[in-house]
Amino acid sequence: GSEMCIRDSSRLNYSKEGKADIARALELAPKSVEALTAMAESEYRDRNYSEAITHYKAALDIDPIQPKAQAKLGLAYLFTDRRQDAAQRLQLAIKYGNDDPEIFKRLGYLDKEMGQRSQAREAFKKFLEKAEEKGDVPSATKREVLNQISLLN
């Protein structure tokens, strides 16, 4: 059924056939969070950000507590210059438990661009904390963020 098709979507080779399988699953189950998310991820990977946004939003309207999808939607908004929407979705991703350091770094830059200096500083500090926990963030990236914090002080 469509659920099986979707559960395997992470292993699909993201070719035209893989996208066609996801599209078929969406036809069978248009409200399937898994199918909507799989299509969003496929569009995101192909850099079709407006299509990705449409599918991520549809999936998140049904089930908002998807930290990874919230983050990807935030990044898709960022890549389409919708800064306020991007910041909102990245904050939701964090609220729902996504603690990827990259999200905090992106949020720091967004807040800085939007003139929210103290929020930017907090996001950058949180990035450093999460980067330390994760342990695989390049030291050059940490230095870049430390520099951003000093510019905001």
Side-chain angles (χ1 to χ4, degrees), residues 61-79:
D61 284 348
I62 298 166
D63 177 14
I65 304 174
Q66 296 186 70
K68 278 190 171 139
Q70 291 284 5
K72 283 281 183 70
L73 177 54
L75 294 176
Y77 278 137
L78 185 61
F79 298 140

Side-chain angles (χ1 to χ4, degrees), residues 21-153:
D21 286 345
I22 298 168
R24 273 194 298 281
L26 261 178
E27 282 174 30
L28 295 170
K31 297 275 188 218
S32 162
V33 172
E34 292 84 1
L36 288 163
T37 303
M39 184 57 86
E41 287 171 2
S42 178
E43 296 292 3
Y44 183 94
R45 239 185 324 279
D46 292 344
R47 293 189 171 92
N48 298 329
Y49 297 120
S50 60
E51 287 296 314
I53 287 168
T54 300
H55 288 96
Y56 277 128
K57 280 180 67 179
L60 292 166
D61 284 348
I62 298 166
D63 177 14
I65 304 174
Q66 296 186 70
K68 278 190 171 139
Q70 291 284 5
K72 283 281 183 70
L73 177 54
L75 294 176
Y77 278 137
L78 185 61
F79 298 140
T80 56
D81 285 326
R82 292 173 62 182
R83 303 235 176 302
Q84 197 63 51
D85 291 327
Q88 184 183 7
R89 291 299 177 162
L90 293 177
Q91 287 161 348
L92 281 172
I94 292 164
K95 175 183 172 183
Y96 294 136
N98 193 327
D99 61 355
D100 180 345
E102 182 67 20
I103 294 171
F104 292 95
K105 187 178 88 173
R106 298 269 184 161
L107 193 55
Y109 279 110
L110 271 169
D111 286 338
K112 183 182 171 192
E113 282 176 30
M114 294 187 298
Q116 298 165 331
R117 295 172 65 86
S118 65
Q119 284 174 263
R121 200 168 31 252
E122 285 309 305
F124 285 136
K125 285 179 181 173
K126 204 75 173 155
F127 162 83
L128 291 171
E129 180 187 310
K130 297 298 177 185
E132 209 52 51
E133 288 171 17
K134 205 169 176 205
D136 63 352
V137 176
S139 55
T141 306
K142 291 180 196 170
R143 279 194 304 277
E144 166 200 327
V145 169
L146 280 167
N147 184 47
Q148 290 298 320
I149 293 170
S150 70
L151 292 172
L152 289 164
N153 282 332

Side-chain angles (χ1 to χ4, degrees), residues 13-24 46:
N13 58 343
Y14 288 96
S15 60
K16 289 196 182 345
E17 296 82 36
K19 203 169 207 170
D21 286 345
I22 298 168
R24 273 194 298 281
D46 292 344

